[in-house]
Amino acid sequence: MRIVVQRVKEAKVSVGAETVGAVGVGLLLYIGAGRGDGAADAACLAEKVPNLRIFPDEEGKMNRSLLDIGGAILAVSQFTLYGDCRKGRRPGFSDSLAPAEANRLYEALVEHWRGMGIPTETGVFQEEMLVSSVNWGPATFLLDSEKRF
């Protein structure tokens, strides 16, 4: 699995004219699942994300986690994280996990974070979404479960 992690002051996701998820200070996550990903990948990332020390302390150093600051998560599914652009001009998506299984892993992440007491909002799986955010820093990180932590 791959997750693009953005530290944000605020973020929201809309489907059509309706805002379906919004958060204040916290993390905007773009989540993709690839062929071969399973429960172990989701579990690893579910623990890693809220514990990343990427929020500033009183000295401005990245020393606090989402849990430390009481922040929220906006989780947006994004199969394009597995787009392969090496050949031709149009990305190929053969490395993306089948939608039903990808959604199962995505939902497992969301439920894990909610179970930890983290306010977690979502987009709508397989819908065209509009995402807006105020990236704080900017600070953006890439996590890939193939590169074990």
Side-chain angles (χ1 to χ4, degrees):
M1 294 187 78
R2 293 178 181 157
I3 301 181
V4 173
V5 178
Q6 292 187 329
R7 184 179 71 186
V8 296
K9 290 283 189 176
E10 61 184 49
K12 72 176 184 174
V13 60
S14 303
V15 175
E18 180 186 357
T19 297
V20 295
V23 298
V25 172
L27 299 174
L28 170 58
L29 307 176
Y30 294 105
I31 302 168
R35 284 187 304 157
D37 287 340
D41 298 281
C44 179
L45 291 170
E47 284 298 318
K48 184 75 171 180
V49 167
N51 288 292
L52 285 172
R53 292 175 21 189
I54 60 174
F55 290 91
D57 63 15
E58 56 282 343
E59 295 176 12
K61 296 182 180 176
M62 288 187 190
N63 230 358
R64 295 211 166 111
S65 71
L66 183 74
L67 298 172
D68 294 331
I69 67 154
I73 290 174
L74 177 57
V76 178
S77 62
Q78 189 172 358
F79 79 99
T80 60
L81 292 178
Y82 279 88
D84 185 350
C85 299
R86 292 177 293 177
K87 295 182 183 178
R89 295 180 183 206
R90 183 172 49 173
F93 298 102
S94 60
D95 289 339
S96 296
L97 193 59
E101 185 63 15
N103 189 39
R104 188 182 70 73
L105 295 176
Y106 169 75
E107 290 294 336
L109 287 169
V110 168
E111 289 310 310
H112 182 88
W113 295 321
R114 287 178 175 158
M116 293 176 71
I118 300 168
T120 304
E121 297 283 319
T122 65
V124 179
F125 193 82
Q126 283 192 299
E127 289 292 328
E128 184 172 311
M129 295 173 272
L130 298 175
V131 180
S132 61
S133 65
V134 177
N135 190 322
W136 179 9
T140 303
F141 306 90
L142 177 61
L143 299 178
D144 189 329
S145 64
E146 286 185 16
K147 299 174 183 174
R148 291 292 175 188
F149 318 113

